[in-house]
Amino acid sequence: MQKKFEPKVFQLGYVALGTPDIERTKDHYLKTIGMTEVAQGHDGSVYLSIGYSHHDLVLRPGKQKALLHVGFHLKPHITIGDFARDARELGLAATVKTDSQPGIAELVEVEAPGGLVLQFYSAIEASAPGFKQTGASPLRLGHVAVLSREGDKLVTFFQDFLGFWLTDDIAGIANFLTCNREHHVVNIVKAPESRVHHIAFELRESSCHTIAADALRAAGVNLLWGPSRHTAGHNVAAYHHDPDKVIVEFYTEMDTFIPELGIFEPRPWHEHFPMKPRSWNELNAWGTEFGYNLAAG
Ligand SMILES: [Fe+2]
């Protein structure tokens, strides 16, 4: 295992979900979330963009809902070949794939602990279909949260192999990790099963939570939790179910991590100065109790 070093990746790229009713699920992400369909794959997959990249979300037909894979953008100085070699040295299966999906000519796929399939690429087409002016119209895909029966090993993989920083945790169960200045890019929850917990889109600003909630309501979708400010990350977050009951988060005002200082940029709503990575016990900084058990997800 390599020593701590700079992250090998600099941002989350996309999430791929299996869905038993692709038309219904696609409709949600196109109309209510406000994404644009950019391409279709031979296997019936659809590639959806928020506004710039070829895809931020992939939906593939399947018998049941599933987290298929998660894509990360490699730092410019790390080649796919070097990355694959390093992964194999760690004992992981690393498969270089060309033209596995539209928009990405080459990538390397690695099965991380707990069976989480990760894809790493150096370039993705910028299709730039433009941002939708309807629905929630988020800015970007911000993070993905997964439950993992190999949680400890998966956290170690993200820290020691990919070079992520562990920022916060909640009760030692939910572990927040980042490869850039966002509080978290992945959230790994130790659990008896491995699956997606939620995917998260960043909205323009906090007043946009009302626009997003109204767009959901117009489609007959209720919020499950929030909007409210979290403890870990301090993001103002609101959650709903997509048609497959995958939890989708909209958030704003997430903490900005300064890795050089090991602190978060100070904010008026912080409880501690300096705000350093720490362990939290509660989810909700505002204390409101919602009927939905978000932690159980
Ligand atoms: Fe989240």
Side-chain angles (χ1 to χ4, degrees), residues 168-174 176 183 187 225 228-235 239 271-272 275 278-290 293-295:
D168 283 338
D169 72 77
I170 299 178
I173 296 170
F176 299 87
H183 176 273
N187 173 5
W225 192 101
S228 192
R229 188 182 299 286
H230 276 304
T231 51
H234 293 91
N235 40 321
Y239 298 83
E271 304 87 341
H272 307 278
M275 187 75 241
R278 51 164 289 160
S279 188
W280 302 84
N281 294 314
E282 306 293 330
L283 278 175
N284 193 340
W286 291 346
T288 321
E289 291 190 15
F290 294 101
N293 185 346
L294 182 63

Side-chain angles (χ1 to χ4, degrees), residues 17-21 25 60-68 244 246:
L17 301 173
T19 169
D21 188 341
T25 304
R60 183 196 296 169
K63 282 207 170 73
Q64 54 198 11
K65 69 172 178 179
L67 174 62
L68 301 175
D244 297 325
V246 171

Side-chain angles (χ1 to χ4, degrees), residues 143 145 176 184 187 198-200 230 235 237 239 249 251 254:
H143 62 268
F176 299 87
H184 58 283
N187 173 5
H198 66 268
I199 61 173
H230 276 304
N235 40 321
Y239 298 83
E249 173 187 354
Y251 74 90
M254 181 177 279

